[in-house]
Amino acid sequence: MVAPEPGGRGTGAVSLPLQASFEWRAAAAPAVVTICFILLAIQPIGLLARDWWTNPDAGHGLLLAPLALWLMWREGRVAIPGPSPGWGSLLLGGGVLLRYLSALAAEQFTMKVSILLLGIGLVVFFLGWSQVRRWWLPLVLLFLAIPLPAIAVNGLSIPLQLRASRWGTTLIEWRGIPVHNDGNVIVIPGQRLFVAEACSGLRSLTALLSLGVLIAGLWLKSIPGRALLVAAAIPVAMAVNALRIFLTAFLMLFVSPEMGRGFMHLSEGWLLFAIAFGLLAALAWLLRVGERGMARGPRHD
């Protein structure tokens, strides 16, 4: 028997270098993709962080983004990944195109959305759609953490201001107080209550929608139940904001005009938001009880 020469063509002499080469190639692709993603995402992520810290209408992102990342970590990866390079490449291409066009147009909202699209594309490319389905809740929370563009904020704030003013005026009239409503200005005896843009209820509506999505995703199982809870956040936020306007006018008239500004006005808003959250939680509990009852099915005696 002739022994193979050292460094010859025997399988034992070349298996380790080839294996190391293949491992290097397998690790190179994810590394390159990660570096490209960081280069594309660094500016939008910086803009998001700045908005969350400085913009009162976007402050909920400081809570939603870390919470979404924690939920991803808690849910973990699917047991058997099913990578989908085709769909992943399509999503990545769309994200890169959206990122490029938004940079050309200097449009920040689509630039931030493009990063989320790129992230989903990476997940689909390496882990598949099953991982996206597992992470649906944190991905939705990340989308809700992106501040609305200024044109959308302006378009929503004015109708909400007017609706809150009308509903607040109705509550004041119901109490028997002489009142006149002129757009977003409520005139009561000796006082004029101006419903500013900050009091339109958009902030509380955005926060309650996010809380509704979070509660629905964690507590409820059925799609109709989740949809009902999220939809209920809209009238709850509007009704509580109208109640806030009524209480402000009532306290300004019967207690002190100082009740309409400063710390008392702010603390009043926090208290009513807590009440709104309690209403959502109560509705979620009722829906959960209903889901359990339907899961058990009818009793047969």
Side-chain angles (χ1 to χ4, degrees):
M1 178 178 293
V2 180
E5 297 180 2
R9 295 179 178 274
T11 56
V14 297
S15 60
L16 289 178
L18 280 176
Q19 182 180 2
S21 175
F22 285 130
E23 288 179 355
W24 181 86
R25 291 178 182 177
V32 171
V33 170
T34 302
I35 293 173
C36 292
F37 176 79
I38 293 174
L39 291 175
L40 288 171
I42 188 168
Q43 181 185 2
I45 291 177
L47 293 173
L48 272 174
R50 184 195 66 186
D51 288 342
W52 292 339
W53 188 256
T54 61
N55 185 358
D57 293 328
H60 60 282
L62 290 172
L63 298 176
L64 289 184
L67 178 61
L69 296 177
W70 178 80
L71 286 173
M72 286 182 176
W73 174 81
R74 193 193 72 161
E75 293 295 330
R77 292 175 54 178
V78 292
I80 304 177
S84 182
W87 281 107
S89 299
L90 185 63
L91 291 172
L92 287 170
V96 171
L97 180 61
L98 187 62
R99 172 70 174 83
Y100 175 72
L101 293 177
S102 61
L104 285 180
E107 209 292 303
Q108 295 186 5
F109 177 75
T110 51
M111 183 185 296
K112 297 163 188 172
V113 171
S114 70
I115 299 307
L116 183 59
L117 182 59
L118 284 170
I120 295 174
L122 288 176
V123 173
V124 173
F125 190 96
F126 290 108
L127 301 176
W129 287 106
S130 56
Q131 188 66 56
V132 175
R133 287 192 292 270
R134 171 167 288 195
W135 283 349
W136 74 269
L137 178 57
L139 289 174
V140 172
L141 293 178
L142 285 176
F143 178 76
L144 292 174
I146 300 175
L148 292 173
I151 187 173
V153 172
N154 294 332
L156 291 172
S157 294
I158 294 176
L160 286 174
Q161 279 178 274
L162 298 178
R163 180 62 59 88
S165 300
R166 288 197 296 268
W167 287 15
T169 301
T170 301
L171 290 176
I172 296 171
E173 289 178 339
W174 171 76
R175 182 61 179 79
I177 301 172
V179 61
H180 173 67
N181 176 221
D182 184 12
N184 62 333
V185 178
I186 299 176
V187 182
I188 56 178
Q191 300 290 337
R192 291 169 63 89
L193 181 61
F194 178 69
V195 182
E197 181 179 341
C199 300
S200 64
L202 184 59
R203 295 177 190 173
S204 58
L205 176 58
T206 304
L208 280 177
L209 277 175
S210 302
L211 285 173
V213 170
L214 178 62
I215 296 173
L218 294 178
W219 283 11
L220 303 178
K221 303 298 182 182
S222 66
I223 294 179
R226 290 170 173 171
L228 179 60
L229 183 66
V230 174
I234 300 175
V236 167
M238 296 177 65
V240 169
N241 195 47
L243 180 60
R244 180 186 183 186
I245 294 173
F246 163 73
L247 288 177
T248 300
F250 185 84
L251 293 174
M252 287 175 63
L253 183 62
F254 292 102
V255 181
S256 170
E258 298 299 322
M259 291 293 183
R261 60 182 69 91
F263 173 76
M264 289 302 300
H265 185 60
L266 181 62
S267 59
E268 182 184 292
W270 279 108
L271 174 61
L272 290 175
F273 182 81
I275 293 174
F277 175 69
L279 291 174
L280 274 187
L283 178 58
W285 179 79
L286 290 174
L287 291 172
R288 189 176 185 182
V289 170
E291 286 182 347
R292 289 178 175 176
M294 294 181 65
R296 295 192 190 99
R299 297 181 59 183
H300 299 283
D301 297 329

